[in-house]
Amino acid sequence: TSSNGQQDETDYFPEGFVQLQNPNIELMDQDILYHLGLGSESHDLIEMFGDVKFVCMGGTPKRVEQFANYIMEEIGHKLPTGTTLQDISRYSYRYSMYKVGPVLSISHGMGIPSVGILLNEVVKLMHHARVQDPIFFRIGTSGGIGVEGGTVILSEEAVNDELEPCYELSVLGKKVRRPAKLDKKLLRELKSLHHKEDPYETVTGKTMCTLDFYEGQGRLDGAFCHFTEAEKMDYLQSLKKEGIVNIEMESLAFAALTHAAGIRSAIVCVSLLDRLKGDQIHTPKEVLDEWQMRPQQLVARYIKRYLQMK
Ligand code: R2B
Ligand code: URA
């Protein structure tokens, strides 16, 4: 650990347990993970989650439920007889969480605040459950820049709208900046799992994270727009020149908070459209559903390979 309390890529905590950078938690009788509907005294978190290795997050409850069913099939995991897959966080009415053996599949909602709250609680969950060296994935959707719809995009880093790889949060009224770094080795491994036969491309590049889907991503089709199409195109072209391949709304917090916690992580998104060609998502739902399986397939290949190597 370096003097600023951040870890670099290879410098993880002893024994791989997830440590909290907060002395208060150990002093509390119980830690309530409010938005997950769990607590460190009300639940046996070690028994429930101690065997977790992979945490996969996606925006919607439906997609993460689907991923849980898909990964169950892929890794050949059997639920105990008479039981079905249950949303562990159903009583929180906020996020959905499914567990399939070593894999947790959790919805994060839309935007930085939503994924940020979730990550605080999931990092604490990893700590309380004494999980060792977990790997986090965001499996998401995004708008491509010069990239066709259906393309899989692996993020090299997350940048803010000033193109800095930096997540900024106000703490006690002062801006705190944290590096939005992703794990380079994990990225290379994921890239290598693209198959030549896959009927789509898998590309890498920078991901821009915004606070809005419409004006904030230069769309002409929101309820508000005070710029021209030419200004929009200039802006998107300038992003492309800077190496930005896609735009979405969670990567900054996801990258920065996993990095700050010493957790290896990667972001795998599918592009829903090429923003250089339009703003609205016209593609039929069945096609979008098929596209959204692509990041899931790549992450499933990684998980399967990991479990086979064990
Ligand atoms: C991608 O898709 C959502 C907006 O439609 C947002 O959560 C994101 O990052
Ligand atoms: N998600 C986004 O944030 N932007 C898009 O254009 C598509 C999905």
Side-chain angles (χ1 to χ4, degrees), residues 41-87:
E41 290 303 307
S42 53
H43 296 82
D44 185 343
L45 298 178
I46 298 180
E47 163 73 22
M48 288 173 77
F49 299 101
D51 63 341
V52 167
K53 180 68 196 177
F54 301 101
V55 176
C56 305
M57 297 184 175
T60 73
K62 200 78 229 152
R63 184 145 34 90
V64 302
E65 182 183 8
Q66 206 186 18
F67 181 71
N69 279 301
Y70 172 64
I71 199 73
M72 181 148 57
E73 188 73 33
E74 288 292 302
I75 66 178
H77 182 82
K78 296 266 182 300
L79 295 174
T81 34
T83 66
T84 53
L85 202 61
Q86 282 266 14
D87 176 357

Side-chain angles (χ1 to χ4, degrees), residues 141-143 213 217 219 247-249 272-273 275 281:
T141 60
S142 62
F213 182 82
Q217 296 187 6
R219 279 189 157 80
I247 314 181
E248 46 75 276
M249 300 178 59
L272 299 185
L273 77 172
R275 289 297 316 287
I281 298 167

Side-chain angles (χ1 to χ4, degrees), residues 1-17:
T1 306
S2 61
S3 55
N4 65 5
Q6 300 291 347
Q7 296 78 49
D8 68 33
E9 220 192 308
T10 51
D11 179 17
Y12 294 108
F13 292 109
E15 296 185 82
F17 291 117

Side-chain angles (χ1 to χ4, degrees), residues 145 156-157 159-164 204-208 234-246:
I145 310 272
E156 285 166 2
E157 64 180 4
V159 299
N160 60 22
D161 44 20
E162 283 161 4
L163 307 188
E164 302 160 325
T204 63
K206 293 184 200 176
T207 297
M208 188 172 89
D234 276 356
Y235 176 66
L236 293 182
Q237 289 292 355
S238 74
L239 296 182
K240 187 165 148 59
K241 270 206 209 84
E242 294 292 332
I244 311 280
V245 284
N246 62 342

Side-chain angles (χ1 to χ4, degrees), residues 16-296:
F17 291 117
V18 176
Q19 310 264 325
L20 301 180
Q21 292 163 44
N22 178 1
N24 301 312
I25 302 292
E26 305 304 334
L27 305 174
M28 299 179 348
D29 294 337
Q30 143 143 268
D31 184 18
I32 295 171
L33 307 173
Y34 170 64
H35 304 87
L36 295 178
L38 293 169
S40 62
E41 290 303 307
S42 53
H43 296 82
D44 185 343
L45 298 178
I46 298 180
E47 163 73 22
M48 288 173 77
F49 299 101
D51 63 341
V52 167
K53 180 68 196 177
F54 301 101
V55 176
C56 305
M57 297 184 175
T60 73
K62 200 78 229 152
R63 184 145 34 90
V64 302
E65 182 183 8
Q66 206 186 18
F67 181 71
N69 279 301
Y70 172 64
I71 199 73
M72 181 148 57
E73 188 73 33
E74 288 292 302
I75 66 178
H77 182 82
K78 296 266 182 300
L79 295 174
T81 34
T83 66
T84 53
L85 202 61
Q86 282 266 14
D87 176 357
I88 299 168
S89 294
R90 62 193 174 284
Y91 298 120
S92 77
Y93 300 102
R94 291 290 181 185
Y95 303 104
S96 286
M97 171 159 63
Y98 297 90
K99 183 172 182 299
V100 175
V103 182
L104 273 188
S105 183
I106 317 177
S107 67
H108 60 50
M110 277 196 284
I112 290 175
S114 186
V115 76
I117 294 165
L118 178 68
L119 279 168
N120 270 270
E121 295 184 13
V122 176
V123 169
K124 293 198 292 174
L125 176 62
M126 296 295 103
H127 171 75
H128 293 312
R130 300 184 67 73
V131 170
Q132 284 173 280
D133 287 320
I135 297 176
F136 280 35
F137 296 104
R138 164 162 143 71
I139 296 173
T141 60
S142 62
I145 310 272
V147 167
E148 257 186 78
T151 305
V152 172
I153 299 165
L154 292 162
S155 305
E156 285 166 2
E157 64 180 4
V159 299
N160 60 22
D161 44 20
E162 283 161 4
L163 307 188
E164 302 160 325
C166 172
Y167 169 49
E168 199 173 82
L169 179 73
S170 274
V171 179
L172 306 184
K174 295 203 177 67
K175 295 273 194 291
V176 173
R177 293 163 68 90
R178 299 201 171 111
K181 283 195 191 166
L182 294 159
D183 192 88
K184 293 207 165 62
K185 180 159 172 264
L186 187 57
L187 172 76
R188 281 196 301 275
E189 289 168 342
L190 284 167
K191 180 99 212 275
S192 76
L193 293 171
H194 174 82
H195 294 167
K196 276 198 308 290
E197 306 77 46
D198 289 336
Y200 51 87
E201 271 193 284
T202 299
V203 304
T204 63
K206 293 184 200 176
T207 297
M208 188 172 89
C209 185
T210 65
L211 298 181
D212 175 46
F213 182 82
Y214 288 103
E215 290 175 283
Q217 296 187 6
R219 279 189 157 80
L220 297 163
D221 63 340
F224 311 94
C225 182
H226 304 283
F227 50 84
T228 65
E229 172 156 27
E231 286 168 333
K232 165 198 156 179
M233 291 311 292
D234 276 356
Y235 176 66
L236 293 182
Q237 289 292 355
S238 74
L239 296 182
K240 187 165 148 59
K241 270 206 209 84
E242 294 292 332
I244 311 280
V245 284
N246 62 342
I247 314 181
E248 46 75 276
M249 300 178 59
E250 293 82 20
S251 56
L252 268 184
F254 180 86
L257 297 182
T258 51
H259 179 68
I263 293 171
R264 302 174 62 195
S265 71
I267 301 175
V268 191
C269 285
V270 70
S271 154
L272 299 185
L273 77 172
D274 182 356
R275 289 297 316 287
L276 299 181
K277 296 186 181 146
D279 294 337
Q280 296 235 310
I281 298 167
H282 296 290
T283 306
K285 185 167 177 319
E286 309 77 69
V287 178
L288 290 177
D289 286 346
E290 196 270 309
W291 288 357
Q292 288 182 39
M293 283 306 295
R294 295 172 177 180
Q296 298 189 17

